[in-house]
Amino acid sequence: MRPTLILAVLAALCSSPVMSQSPSPSNVAPWDQPFLPPAPAWDGASRALLRDASDPWVTAFEADAEHDESPNYADTRAWFDRLDAASDLIRIEQFGVSPEGRPIYAVIASKDGADFDPSKPVLLAQAGIHPGEIDGKDAGMMLLRDIAFNGKDDLLDRVNLILIPILSVDGHERAGAYSRPNQRGPRIQGWRNTATNQNLNRDYLKLDQAEMRAVRGLVLKYRPDLYVDIHVTDGMDYQYDITYGYNGENGVWSRSPAIARWLDDAFKPAVNAAMEAEGHIPGELVFGVGDDPRAGLSDGGLGERFSNGWGSAAHVPTILIENHSLKPYEQRVLGTYVFLEAAMRRLAVEGPALRAAIAADMTLRPAEIPANFASDPTPAYTRTFKGIRYEMYDSPASGRQEIRWLGEPDPEPWALPFYGSRPTLTLQRPEAYWVPGHRADIIERLRLHGVSMETLDAPRTVSLDMLRLDEPKLGTRANEGHVPVTVAGVTPERRDWTFPVGSVRVPTDQPLGDIVVLLLEPQSSESFFAWGLFPEVLSRVEYIEGYAIAPLAEAMMAADPALKAEFEAKLAAEPDFAANGDARLQWFYERTPFYDDRYRLYPVGREN
């Protein structure tokens, strides 16, 4: 269908009886996608935060009559530059450059000047890692304005604030009205991926992208006590407008258990109360299971490629906010403002206790490290859930039953099973890893994480385990610019191995030791190997012809009865192998000194 015809269809839908369930015009902007479910009416107290269009510091979001506008990159930066020039409490710091050459910057609010008072906790709020989900930028603009001019400077008495208004600046500028069909506002939305077509919220561990390398540097510089990563959901409808979560919520397992307890006990109840007082419905981060809304909820995964998984492994308290995509943009932005203000006020009171929790978690050195989490098929518990009424109908388009959300809060709470995640692999913590100097790219990524390591200034021979990769398999499609690789297992081989100048010894006895293991163990689904960064070890260089190996194999059997018996046992046990002449000869080749000793030998050593 031509784009002009699609636009005509959308215009017709706006006045169609099919959309007769839509809420009042005051609750939905005329450019809303008319195919979206209606939004429940909302008139929260947080609307009092909006400034009048006549205010000289009104934001573009507030000035828009429908509160469905979000400014572009240039206008956002110009507004912040003006705020920086007008207030001693605000300063802008560039901390990176995007692939298309745009500065990536943070806006810092502090009474301390250029150097933070180390006794004050730091809140780092990040918006626009997915630029279509830009609520945090507009909420942050309002909050910083009110700190500078409207009586909220007391927030900085005991807390410092860093706002990244737009992390994926290139994606932010690939903007249009049709970027996110499942989301209600803003009117113009950025694109989910970067200029290099990467999803930054999959890059917290491998650190491929300039944007993520830059933000990691900012984290290392300021050491935030709380990191808030602001997104907008997809998926099912429900009553909650602001949902958020963190690894270890509700007492489940976490790599940072003390931090999770602080978030459970000291943070969540107070912040939820503050949001409810302003007319919002906060909820725990949820992801539906399957197509049936009542089938259950899941945690969405705990992988360290995401901010919440990385934060747990790095012992950086990290909250993932997912505002609800079907709520009006005004409601979501105001809810984010209330959340950020409440978080600052809570840090002001409970900051010392949070720092104590961080310090406790940084001392952990577990001998066994759970990894490769998958959804647990057994529900952990039953969760009370505030659902939205719905019905099923026969769709002539899909030829099956589809769901129609009705925009009406279900007065009866739902009781839904909650499915957590469980590890499918347990890794043993070694003393250290050795990375050869020729893999400067891997060493640089470890440095960007802030990992401590020893760099060799002279060659050194060490006795350690080198890992033979068992049954490596390439993925069938690319993922985030890589072809992933899996292995069935690894076989340690004790070797005396010489590492050249520039190689590094990476100890695991450090606060980031868990991250070291997850990155350097090839079986870890978050490892550099799993992302396809060691393809060279999968290439064979030398071969042997059949006319050479066949007589050699026959001589080997004649000279070694035990080898012959092993071969015959394999023939009897594996009919496919017995019928494959190439596989039979390959079996003998692998047992000769001609075979490539480094084929499938992982070049990172494990010191135990």
Side-chain angles (χ1 to χ4, degrees):
M1 182 181 287
R2 298 186 302 276
T4 52
L5 184 53
I6 294 174
L7 293 175
V9 170
L10 291 173
L13 277 173
C14 288
S15 57
S16 169
V18 173
M19 297 295 142
S20 61
Q21 302 172 78
S22 297
S24 63
S26 64
N27 199 40
V28 175
W31 46 81
D32 263 332
Q33 290 95 322
F35 46 80
L36 288 181
W42 180 80
D43 189 21
S46 60
R47 276 185 165 153
L49 296 167
L50 295 166
R51 309 296 292 186
D52 187 78
S54 62
D55 189 304
W57 288 102
V58 69
T59 67
F61 159 75
E62 295 168 297
D64 178 66
E66 300 291 342
H67 301 140
D68 206 39
E69 179 73 25
S70 188
N72 64 24
Y73 173 88
D75 290 346
T76 302
R77 180 60 190 263
W79 191 92
F80 276 124
D81 283 340
R82 192 163 64 94
L83 187 66
D84 182 1
S87 173
D88 292 337
L89 302 178
I90 307 297
R91 63 183 173 90
I92 294 174
E93 179 175 323
Q94 180 177 331
F95 64 93
V97 178
S98 75
E100 291 186 337
R102 294 182 178 89
I104 309 171
Y105 63 92
V107 185
I108 299 174
S110 175
K111 291 184 175 179
D112 301 340
D115 297 318
F116 281 178
D117 177 348
S119 69
K120 289 184 181 179
V122 176
L123 171 62
L124 173 56
Q126 174 183 286
I129 190 171
H130 293 152
E133 307 165 27
I134 202 62
D135 308 14
K137 176 188 73 177
D138 292 295
M141 294 173 78
M142 291 176 61
L143 178 59
L144 287 166
R145 181 266 321 278
D146 291 345
I147 288 173
F149 301 124
N150 295 320
K152 291 192 176 179
D153 59 298
D154 65 303
L155 289 170
L156 302 180
D157 290 346
R158 297 169 66 184
V159 178
N160 288 315
L161 173 64
I162 302 172
L163 171 72
I164 302 173
I166 315 167
L167 178 57
S168 181
V169 291
D170 295 341
H172 187 276
E173 292 308 280
R174 184 184 170 183
Y178 305 103
S179 294
R180 287 180 61 80
N182 304 309
Q183 180 176 304
R184 180 166 276 122
R187 184 183 319 171
I188 302 298
Q189 303 161 350
W191 195 251
R192 182 177 182 84
N193 279 16
T194 67
T196 57
N197 200 30
Q198 300 298 305
N199 185 340
L200 295 182
N201 197 38
R202 305 295 184 271
D203 198 32
Y204 272 89
L205 227 58
K206 57 183 171 61
L207 292 182
D208 269 342
Q209 303 303 311
E211 297 93 336
M212 293 309 298
R213 293 180 173 208
V215 82
R216 186 70 186 118
L218 190 72
V219 168
L220 288 173
K221 178 178 180 179
Y222 286 106
R223 304 284 179 179
D225 299 272
L226 185 63
Y227 181 23
V228 177
D229 180 22
I230 305 168
H231 293 247
V232 180
T233 68
D234 289 314
M236 64 192 297
D237 201 356
Y238 44 71
Q239 297 179 41
Y240 310 102
D241 54 359
I242 312 295
T243 67
Y244 64 96
Y246 42 88
N247 284 25
E249 189 170 12
N250 297 327
V252 304
W253 182 86
S254 170
R255 301 193 197 279
S256 291
I259 291 170
R261 284 193 297 272
W262 183 90
L263 291 168
D264 271 348
D265 300 337
F267 184 84
K268 184 165 64 171
V271 169
N272 283 357
M275 296 184 69
E276 288 166 355
E278 292 295 320
H280 294 277
I281 307 178
E284 296 173 355
L285 186 60
V286 294
F287 299 89
V289 175
D291 296 328
D292 180 358
R294 293 181 182 268
L297 307 168
S298 80
D299 61 15
L302 304 175
E304 287 76 20
R305 66 190 61 187
F306 308 110
S307 61
N308 52 316
W310 162 80
S312 180
H315 312 307
V316 177
T318 302
I319 290 175
L320 173 61
I321 290 182
E322 290 278 3
N323 295 335
H324 190 226
S325 60
L326 296 178
K327 301 299 185 290
Y329 191 57
E330 174 193 49
Q331 184 176 352
R332 302 197 321 258
V333 170
L334 294 177
T336 306
Y337 179 119
V338 174
F339 181 97
L340 293 175
E341 180 179 353
M344 291 184 72
R345 296 197 183 280
R346 202 62 191 149
L347 278 178
V349 175
E350 293 285 349
L354 177 56
R355 287 191 168 178
I358 295 169
D361 286 336
M362 290 180 74
T363 67
L364 298 176
R365 305 289 189 271
E368 294 186 336
I369 298 176
N372 297 12
F373 282 80
S375 180
D376 194 329
T378 303
Y381 54 85
T382 299
R383 178 178 286 184
T384 301
F385 186 72
K386 296 181 179 179
I388 291 285
R389 292 184 59 244
Y390 65 93
E391 63 186 12
M392 304 302 295
Y393 74 100
D394 293 322
S395 168
S398 70
R400 66 187 183 196
Q401 287 235 310
E402 301 291 347
I403 192 169
R404 178 183 288 130
W405 297 102
L406 302 178
E408 302 169 6
D410 194 325
E412 294 295 325
W414 300 358
L416 300 183
F418 178 80
Y419 296 87
S421 295
R422 59 182 176 86
T424 60
L425 176 69
T426 298
L427 300 168
Q428 302 301 313
R429 186 189 206 91
E431 291 292 323
Y433 294 93
W434 291 75
V435 183
H438 71 270
R439 291 311 307 262
D441 57 328
I442 299 298
I443 296 169
E444 176 62 15
R445 291 172 196 248
L446 293 169
R447 285 202 175 101
L448 288 167
H449 271 290
V451 168
S452 298
M453 63 188 84
E454 173 195 358
T455 303
L456 302 189
D457 56 9
R460 189 182 305 177
T461 301
V462 292
S463 178
L464 42 63
D465 286 338
M466 302 300 288
L467 306 179
R468 187 75 63 181
L469 305 172
D470 302 334
E471 300 179 34
K473 291 184 180 179
L474 293 172
T476 57
R477 63 184 181 89
N479 183 19
E480 299 301 324
H482 296 277
V483 177
V485 188
T486 59
V487 290
V490 296
T491 301
E493 298 180 5
R494 198 70 182 174
R495 300 287 190 94
D496 290 332
W497 202 270
T498 300
F499 288 89
V501 172
S503 300
V504 295
R505 178 183 183 270
V506 189
T508 63
D509 185 10
Q510 58 175 302
L512 294 178
D514 286 11
I515 280 183
V516 169
V517 175
L518 292 167
L519 285 173
L520 295 180
E521 280 291 335
Q523 291 174 276
S524 163
S525 60
E526 300 289 359
S527 68
F528 293 133
F529 175 83
W531 278 107
L533 297 184
F534 288 92
E536 68 276 12
V537 303
L538 306 182
S539 297
R540 285 177 55 190
V541 178
E542 292 291 349
Y543 298 84
I544 190 169
E545 301 291 349
Y547 62 76
I549 187 60
L552 178 56
E554 292 155 13
M556 290 166 65
M557 285 191 287
D560 188 346
L563 179 69
K564 181 182 180 188
E566 182 184 355
F567 176 64
E568 290 175 345
K570 187 173 179 68
L571 294 177
E574 301 178 27
D576 290 344
F577 173 78
N580 187 330
D582 289 339
R584 291 166 64 138
L585 293 178
Q586 175 71 14
W587 188 89
F588 285 101
Y589 179 37
E590 291 174 4
R591 285 153 179 79
T592 72
F594 298 105
Y595 189 71
D596 181 2
D597 182 57
R598 298 194 183 185
Y599 176 49
R600 296 184 179 177
L601 192 69
Y602 183 53
V604 176
R606 183 200 282 166
E607 177 188 329
N608 291 305

